Amino acid sequence: MFAKVSTFNPVPLVLTGPGALKKAAGRLRQVGYKRPLLVTDKGVASLPFFSELIDKLKEEKIDFVLYDKTQPNPPDTQVNEGAAIYKKERCDCLIAFGGGSPIDCAKAIGVLVSNGGKIQDYAKAFNTVPKPIPYLAAIPTTAGSGSECTAAAVVTNTEGHHYKMTIMDAHLLPSMAVVDPMIMLDLPPSLTSATGLDALTHAIEAYIALEANDYTNGLALGSIRLIFKYLPRAVANGRDVEARERMAYAQTMAGLAFNSAGLGLVHAMSHPLSATYNIPHGLANAMLLPWVMDFNLIACMEKMADIAIAADEDIHGLCPREAAAVAGQAVRRLTDDLGIIVNISEAAAASGTTADFEKDIARLVEDAMSDVFRPFNPRNSSAADIKAIYSKCWSSNTLELIEKLKSCM
Ligand SMILES: NC(=O)c1ccc[n+]([C@@H]2O[C@H](COP(=O)([O-])OP(=O)(O)OC[C@H]3O[C@@H](n4cnc5c(N)ncnc54)[C@H](O)[C@@H]3O)[C@@H](O)[C@H]2O)c1
Ligand SMILES: [Fe+2]
């Protein structure tokens, strides 16, 4: 089955476990770096564990420069600004502290610092970054993106119409990932569920992706199992340390898996939604995931049944198609339990924008069609398929979904 040559490209070091944050500065000192650009966002910089990192850096006499302006779905303008500061302040490495947005912003800053030019120059195809980024210590504060262990950076293009560009090249892989679940204890329920569902989307898309191999499959399935079990607990009680710990590891496992296996149509379709309506990345994925799983069903029934088992569903006695369909239902039940917004119109309104199907659909479809992750999807997709999935997700409501769920129980 895996007769072709494929890759597994893990991050060189994962420093992980409760208290890992305290060791990060010491490790940086050990490897000889003294002047990092610390990339974060204002929200993260106001949280108590940020001072913990600062104190440790000072203790180790590491003379950092702070860049705390990163916004969610980071725009190209912040990448330019961060790169200019890095050069002006003669920094020698990068620390990214935050969710996927600051980590991606730091990677993209690194691309410009090492290679010059504009970030758009490196987003046209994979593997177009000639020189490695500087040493990067990536410290996630959400259990979602997995960006601390991926060779990808997602940046919003603001030249002309807004769309999300993915820069993917082994030269973007962080040098060290620091995964400390204690940092995530204060993540509010809405962010916990949206980012956790992003991690679930990574694991599911990686498991069924065309470039999946046995290494990535093990990590992806393990991650799916952990997320179904522990995400509801982490949302219900953020101070449930065991749940936070498992979610922290599950998101890293999903990142390691998709970094080599690729993603699929959910991400290809969610990127235009975030760029156009500012919908948070995890939420956009969560809304689309069950619909894309329905679409993908005929391409990978056995793997879908594996996902249902990993979700702890009983598929005993079901025919292969029914068993595969249980996976999508398990995702719908999970998003319902977590109270996630289930349609694009509502999600856009919640993000302060208006989703106008007639006006926007052609552009959304066009951007999804050209997204770099679409070719990894196990089922080929046309513009008409993508339009049909967007329209199902546009105004579906929770009641309809629950009816759909009941009919499958
Ligand atoms: N490079 C990759 O491999 C990869 C993978 C998936 C997603 N992404 C990208 O990552 C971005 C999404 O990242 P994200 O979902 O982690 O969120 P984010 O980084 O956009 O942060 C969202 C919000 O959460 C807040 N926050 C972060 N940690 C917190 C904490 N511990 N407590 C309280 N608030 C906290 C931030 O201040 C911010 O306001 C998107 O741009 C997406 O495209 C990248
Ligand atoms: Fe994602």
Side-chain angles (χ1 to χ4, degrees), residues 296-381:
N296 281 336
L297 188 91
I298 59 167
C300 48
M301 284 199 204
E302 267 182 47
K303 281 197 154 184
M304 287 290 191
D306 293 343
I307 293 169
I309 295 168
D312 212 17
E313 295 288 332
D314 182 7
I315 59 163
H316 186 75
L318 299 182
C319 72
R321 198 186 192 291
E322 288 169 336
V326 172
Q329 300 318 317
V331 170
R332 286 196 165 90
R333 188 174 301 120
L334 179 65
T335 52
D336 183 47
D337 282 348
L338 301 183
I340 279 281
I341 293 175
V342 291
N343 77 56
I344 295 168
S345 308
E346 272 181 46
S351 305
T353 55
T354 306
D356 182 333
F357 186 86
E358 294 308 325
K359 183 169 137 285
D360 301 333
I361 191 65
R363 174 56 64 68
L364 293 171
V365 171
E366 196 184 311
D367 288 350
M369 283 294 285
S370 55
D371 191 274
V372 289
F373 288 119
R374 190 175 71 88
F376 293 88
N377 196 65
R379 180 172 174 180
N380 291 333
S381 52

Side-chain angles (χ1 to χ4, degrees), residues 263-286:
L263 291 167
L265 199 53
V266 181
H267 273 77
M269 293 180 62
S270 79
H271 286 157
L273 292 181
S274 295
T276 310
Y277 305 126
N278 224 11
I279 298 175
H281 175 70
L283 176 59
N285 282 332

Side-chain angles (χ1 to χ4, degrees), residues 50-178:
F50 181 71
S51 343
E52 203 176 295
L53 174 68
I54 299 299
D55 291 347
K56 285 284 165 195
L57 289 170
K58 286 183 181 161
E59 236 173 71
E60 296 288 342
K61 303 202 173 7
I62 293 179
D63 186 20
F64 64 90
V65 177
L66 180 63
Y67 181 73
D68 64 0
K69 291 191 190 154
T70 318
Q71 287 161 6
N73 305 308
D76 44 14
T77 47
Q78 293 182 342
V79 175
N80 297 336
E81 191 176 34
I85 296 172
Y86 186 104
K87 287 188 210 155
K88 180 168 167 267
E89 296 290 338
R90 300 181 182 277
C91 294
D92 62 0
C93 71
L94 291 154
I95 301 176
F97 192 61
S101 298
I103 299 177
D104 286 4
C105 190
K107 289 176 184 171
I109 289 171
V111 170
L112 296 196
V113 165
S114 298
N115 298 278
K118 285 164 54 175
I119 200 64
Q120 279 80 355
D121 301 339
Y122 308 99
K124 290 172 186 133
F126 283 174
N127 303 318
T128 53
V129 180
K131 291 189 207 143
I133 63 171
Y135 185 99
L136 166 62
I139 312 173
T141 62
T142 62
S145 79
S147 180
E148 72 280 3
C149 58
T150 74
V154 189
V155 175
T156 303
N157 174 73
T158 62
E159 293 178 355
H161 96 275
H162 288 203
Y163 61 92
K164 289 186 90 170
M165 311 174 277
T166 301
I167 302 99
M168 186 134 187
D169 188 302
H171 283 150
L172 270 69
L173 204 60
S175 315
M176 169 170 70
V178 181

